């Protein structure tokens, strides 16, 4: 039995933090897992910047409400879910993801949770589990699934390399050079065809 495990940001929807950096004019918030492999370090860096500028969950959610999935992402997900099971594994947070999942017809999503103070400020974050994407893929494999993984960033590499098949999608030149053994795809049609080949 196969299950496709997809990253969310950069694969199906734009990067939330990059959009928020553009909205707020704070270039430091453009930093993502494409730039920083250590997710804890990245999130603590972001929380410090939010605190410094007095920005909280409300402001981030206002930006998210304006974000749509990439053109073709919904059609790709609908087509994929017609032929196999698919789940989104993301290091985003429940407080961010719901409106985006609604725009993708509510696929299953495993993600994390922000800690929000009474004043609406982001004070911390709770990861669902250690190395959440890799741990989830291993968990799915332990109950009889063959996983096929798709991602674009450093935090996707664990699940991609541990899967029966894995693909880089709209990734960086750096990751392409570091992992020449992986197919690097640019369009949803290419991705769909590549997944179908290994089902």
């Amino acid at each position: 039995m196969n299950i496709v495990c997809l990253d969310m940001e950069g694969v199906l929807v734009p990067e939330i933090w990059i959009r928020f950096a553009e909205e707020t004019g704070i270039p430091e918030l453009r930093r993502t897992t494409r730039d920083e492999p250590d997710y804890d370090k990245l999130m603590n860096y972001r929380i410090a910047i939010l605190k410094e500028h007095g920005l909280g969950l409300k402001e981030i959610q206002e930006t998210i409400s304006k974000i749509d999935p990439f053109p073709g992402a919904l059609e790709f997900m609908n087509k994929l879910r017609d032929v196999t099971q698919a789940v989104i594994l993301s290091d985003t947070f429940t407080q961010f993801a719901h409106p985006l999942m609604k725009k993708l017809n509510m696929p299953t999503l495993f993600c994390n949770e922000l800690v929000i103070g009474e004043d609406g400020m982001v004070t911390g974050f709770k990861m669902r589990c250690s190395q959440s994407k890799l741990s989830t893929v291993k968990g799915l494999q332990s109950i009889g699934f063959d996983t096929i993984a798709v991602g674009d960033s450093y935090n996707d590499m664990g699940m991609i390399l541990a899967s029966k098949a894995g693909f880089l999608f709209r990734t960086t030149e750096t990751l392409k050079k570091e992992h020449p053994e992986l197919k690097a795809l640019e369009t949803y049609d290419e991705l769909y065809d590549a997944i179908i080949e290994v089902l």
Side-chain angles (χ1 to χ4, degrees):
M1 291 188 70
N2 293 291
I3 189 165
V4 179
C5 302
L6 299 131
D7 178 37
M8 183 180 84
E9 292 177 71
V11 172
L12 298 169
V13 303
E15 293 277 355
I16 291 168
W17 289 99
I18 289 177
R19 282 290 180 90
F20 191 57
E22 290 166 355
E23 289 266 329
T24 59
I26 304 169
E28 295 86 352
L29 287 174
R30 291 184 64 88
R31 196 163 175 77
T32 71
T33 51
R34 288 177 170 214
D35 313 299
E36 174 54 68
D38 185 331
Y39 193 73
D40 285 4
K41 183 177 174 184
L42 178 62
M43 273 309 300
N44 286 318
Y45 168 82
R46 288 167 169 166
I47 290 168
I49 292 169
L50 292 175
K51 186 176 180 184
E52 179 188 335
H53 291 272
L55 296 166
L57 180 62
K58 178 175 168 282
E59 289 80 10
I60 302 170
Q61 287 178 328
E62 283 170 3
T63 294
I64 293 168
S65 72
K66 302 173 201 168
I67 295 175
D68 287 320
F70 288 128
L74 173 59
E75 293 78 7
F76 163 75
M77 284 298 292
N78 288 343
K79 195 171 162 186
L80 184 64
R81 291 166 76 192
D82 273 345
V83 295
T84 190
Q85 297 180 85
V87 61
I88 297 174
L89 307 183
S90 176
D91 280 336
T92 194
F93 304 96
T94 53
Q95 294 95 331
F96 290 1
H98 187 71
L100 295 168
M101 292 303 96
K102 281 177 79 173
K103 292 176 182 181
L104 289 169
N105 284 343
M106 294 304 290
T108 299
L109 166 72
F110 297 144
C111 64
N112 305 304
E113 197 162 311
L114 289 170
V115 180
I116 308 296
E118 288 182 17
D119 58 358
M121 297 298 286
V122 180
T123 59
F125 58 100
K126 291 180 190 168
M127 299 300 280
R128 189 170 45 80
C129 59
S130 175
Q131 294 184 294
S132 60
K133 295 181 185 188
L134 175 60
S135 299
T136 302
V137 157
K138 286 184 172 176
L140 290 166
Q141 290 166 350
S142 77
I143 56 171
F145 287 101
D146 286 323
T147 59
I148 298 162
V150 181
D152 69 320
S153 297
Y154 282 106
N155 66 333
D156 301 314
M157 293 314 302
M159 72 170 179
I160 288 172
L161 296 173
S163 290
K164 170 178 99 168
F167 305 104
L168 294 169
F169 188 70
R170 296 180 180 171
T171 191
T172 62
E173 290 304 316
T174 303
L175 269 175
K176 286 180 195 176
K177 283 177 188 162
E178 288 177 10
H179 293 279
E181 77 281 11
L182 296 173
K183 272 190 187 175
L185 308 168
E186 294 295 325
T187 72
Y188 291 117
D189 285 344
E190 289 175 335
L191 181 58
Y192 179 81
D193 290 345
I195 291 168
I196 292 299
E197 275 181 31
V198 295
L199 283 177

